[in-house]
Amino acid sequence: MRTAYLCMFMVMFLAVCSLFPGAAMAGPAPREEEVYFANGEVRLAGTLLLPHVDKPVPAVVFVHGAAYHDRKDNWEEAEYFARRGIAALVYDKRGCGASSGDWATASQFELAEDALAAVLLLKKRPEIDARHIGLWGMSQGASIIPLAAVRSQDVAFLIPVSGCLSFDRQMHYYRANLFRQRGLPDRLLDIANKASLLSNDFARRVRNGLPVPTAWRLRCAFDTDLDSSSEWAKVRQPVLAVYGALDRAVPVAQSAAGLRQALLLGGNQEWTIVIYPGAGHSLGTTDTGELYEPWRGYVPGFLDGVTDWVLRRAAGGRSSGDGLKGTAQEPVLPYTAAHYERLAWYGNSLVQLPMVLGFCLVFAAGCLSWPAGFLFRRFRSARNPRRPQIVSGLAQALCAINLVLLAGLVVLVQAVSDQIRPSCPPALRLLPSAGGLSALLSVLLVAFTARAWRSGVWMRGMWWWSFIALAAACFLPFLFYWDLLGTPF
């Protein structure tokens, strides 16, 4: 009877494993060894997972994506690789876990050098086949691994997972899906996109030599404007690129086609691009691909397919460029990248930041110094003594409203720029209405100013509120650009 139950259990176990490939990993649990390596002054800590074999084995270094990551984030994949006979090195990203440094102030090239330091460590290990050490890069890591590959012949192959070619375009896609998921209106998405372009443009100018404090310079070190297409065109190592068809963080169809074109342009002779159906950004099983949904495990066939490819290469197998395997359909975005490229002449940091500073100074002076009121009382017209007081009050009220708009815009940009939980505080939803009131007062002030100049009255005092009127007129296109004219959000 016991034998019958045991046989039934084994049959059921094998059936489950056939339905969920990779649920039961082949081979015994790997050996784990704490390792340390350095890139300049940065000391990195990690764990090397080794299979139980008596000969040198191929190895993979796992390179992290954006933000904070330690070795635990790649542990599941690393253990799977090691059980399949492939050594795996997972490490704490600089500034994370037991590693020194600061990932927030590192460039892509510095992060690539961290990965090469891990490759150098593996190359010296007797358990590792030094001819077959590759790099796995997830998301942002997929843009870092080609930088390492073109700088070292020690990298034997690359496995980019859910990578993109342009961070700006990728973030447009990501934010559109994130704002839709959180139920935020398109106008707030437009503000977040414009704020991101402004920030990236400022960072690029800082990297190109714009003098700023050291702390600002460090925060601008990550080169978001790096042309990943040109870097991939230099890669000669074999490439296995994988994507999830339902990815809502990276535009898969566009990214896969761009990667294929770059590899062909560079003359790479061995590459494969696979798009897995039913998979999200992390190649996990998903029905919708929505961002930050609960983890349900890797899509069937993914880990087996990747490890099979590595083992086949280590055994001497080769494959020619296989083209794209699979398709992905991306949702239509409310604002395309081309939309912002057409507005780059106005929305860049060289224009926007001086404008914000200038508007703040002018409107603050109008509110705090009250020179217009004193001048209007001194040079009051005999024909209409009340008109200067009306215009003075109008100018001062307009300055106060515009200062509130500028302060509200700064707070709003901070709120919608959160890359995980963007929001709009209830009080700030009325900013467009305040912008409409500002536009009405600006028209009235310009009209009073023009009429006064034409009549030739108060010539000695009109210069101040005429200057306010000019600033208010220039402020209107600024409000329109930042979607602060119209109905509430």
Side-chain angles (χ1 to χ4, degrees):
M1 194 69 175
R2 254 182 223 175
T3 304
Y5 280 128
L6 182 60
C7 290
M8 185 182 299
F9 174 78
M10 291 299 296
V11 170
M12 293 175 63
F13 178 77
L14 292 174
V16 171
C17 290
S18 66
L19 290 175
F20 300 97
M25 293 181 282
R31 294 186 290 119
E32 300 175 12
E33 181 180 334
E34 195 85 3
V35 295
Y36 298 91
F37 51 100
N39 174 21
E41 297 181 354
V42 177
R43 186 172 184 263
L44 300 157
T47 301
L48 177 60
L49 285 74
L50 292 165
H52 292 277
V53 294
D54 297 328
K55 62 178 181 179
V57 295
V60 172
V61 175
F62 287 84
V63 180
H64 301 291
Y68 182 101
H69 287 285
D70 59 27
R71 71 192 80 181
K72 295 179 182 178
D73 294 323
N74 293 121
W75 194 269
E76 181 181 355
E77 309 96 292
E79 186 176 3
Y80 196 95
F81 272 63
R83 287 177 180 267
R84 290 292 309 273
I86 305 167
L89 175 58
V90 289
Y91 62 95
D92 300 331
K93 191 175 182 178
R94 59 165 61 195
C96 307
S99 294
S100 65
D102 184 1
W103 61 268
T105 60
S107 69
Q108 292 191 67
F109 293 97
E110 289 172 321
L111 296 175
E113 292 293 336
D114 290 350
L116 289 179
V119 172
L120 182 60
L121 170 72
L122 292 179
K123 187 179 178 182
K124 298 176 181 178
R125 300 282 304 218
E127 308 96 326
I128 305 300
D129 183 352
R131 300 168 302 166
H132 298 103
I133 303 174
L135 298 176
W136 159 302
M138 173 66 194
S139 192
Q140 189 184 93
S143 298
I144 292 171
I145 58 177
L147 304 180
V150 300
R151 286 158 178 78
S152 174
Q153 296 300 315
D154 294 332
V155 178
F157 57 87
L158 299 176
I159 306 174
V161 181
S162 300
C164 68
L165 300 181
S166 167
F167 280 109
D168 278 345
R169 291 177 180 266
Q170 180 261 325
M171 288 304 296
H172 290 158
Y173 179 82
Y174 167 80
R175 273 191 295 269
N177 288 309
L178 181 62
F179 276 59
R180 172 187 51 76
Q181 182 184 18
R182 296 185 64 84
L184 297 174
D186 289 345
R187 283 192 296 162
L188 290 177
L189 169 64
D190 188 43
I191 292 174
N193 284 338
K194 288 172 179 174
S196 175
L197 293 175
L198 175 63
S199 174
N200 291 341
D201 179 75
F202 178 75
R204 177 179 57 81
R205 295 180 189 278
V206 169
R207 290 193 298 272
N208 290 339
L210 182 68
V212 296
T214 302
W216 290 17
R217 182 172 298 280
L218 290 175
R219 291 295 171 181
C220 295
F222 191 84
D223 22 32
T224 56
D225 55 344
L226 184 68
D227 183 5
S228 293
S229 296
S230 63
E231 294 298 326
W232 277 112
K234 302 173 188 175
V235 171
R236 297 296 178 266
Q237 293 92 331
V239 175
L240 172 62
V242 290
Y243 295 91
L246 299 180
D247 193 338
R248 293 296 177 260
V250 168
V252 172
Q254 176 184 335
S255 300
L259 177 60
R260 175 181 179 273
Q261 182 179 2
L263 292 171
L264 289 173
L265 182 65
N268 194 308
Q269 299 298 312
E270 193 171 355
W271 54 270
T272 303
I273 301 176
V274 182
I275 301 175
Y276 284 89
H281 182 63
S282 298
L283 272 295
T285 300
T286 180
D287 297 322
T288 63
E290 290 295 348
L291 300 166
Y292 308 111
E293 63 181 357
W295 179 250
R296 293 162 51 187
Y298 282 108
V299 68
F302 166 58
L303 289 179
D304 280 335
V306 175
T307 50
D308 286 345
W309 183 83
V310 174
L311 292 172
R312 186 169 60 250
R313 280 214 41 79
R318 293 177 57 85
S319 60
S320 58
D322 297 326
L324 287 170
K325 296 181 178 179
T327 59
Q329 186 173 4
E330 297 161 2
V332 177
L333 304 185
Y335 300 102
T336 64
H339 169 72
Y340 299 102
E341 291 169 357
R342 289 193 297 269
L343 297 173
W345 64 272
Y346 186 77
N348 65 78
S349 61
L350 199 61
V351 173
Q352 287 291 310
L353 296 181
M355 284 178 61
V356 171
L357 179 60
F359 286 140
C360 286
L361 293 175
V362 172
F363 297 140
C367 288
L368 301 177
S369 64
W370 306 99
F374 290 117
L375 288 173
F376 292 145
R377 283 193 292 272
R378 180 179 178 184
F379 301 106
R380 185 171 298 171
S381 169
R383 290 184 298 173
N384 192 349
R386 293 184 56 82
R387 185 180 298 171
Q389 293 179 338
I390 293 174
V391 177
S392 172
L394 181 63
Q396 293 163 6
L398 181 59
C399 288
I401 292 173
N402 288 347
L403 275 181
V404 170
L405 283 168
L406 286 169
L409 177 61
V410 172
V411 176
L412 180 62
V413 164
Q414 293 291 328
V416 299
S417 295
D418 190 315
Q419 297 185 15
I420 299 178
R421 289 179 291 273
S423 63
C424 178
L428 297 184
R429 293 183 179 273
L430 297 176
L431 281 179
S433 299
L437 178 60
S438 172
L440 176 62
L441 296 182
S442 297
V443 171
L444 291 176
L445 182 60
V446 170
F448 275 121
T449 303
R451 185 175 179 180
W453 278 104
R454 288 183 61 187
S455 65
V457 183
W458 320 307
M459 293 300 293
R460 293 178 58 188
M462 285 193 305
W463 64 270
W464 174 247
W465 50 268
S466 297
F467 183 65
I468 296 292
L470 177 62
C474 295
F475 194 58
L476 293 182
F478 178 86
L479 291 176
F480 180 77
Y481 175 80
W482 287 103
D483 298 290
L484 296 183
L485 289 176
T487 57
F489 293 125

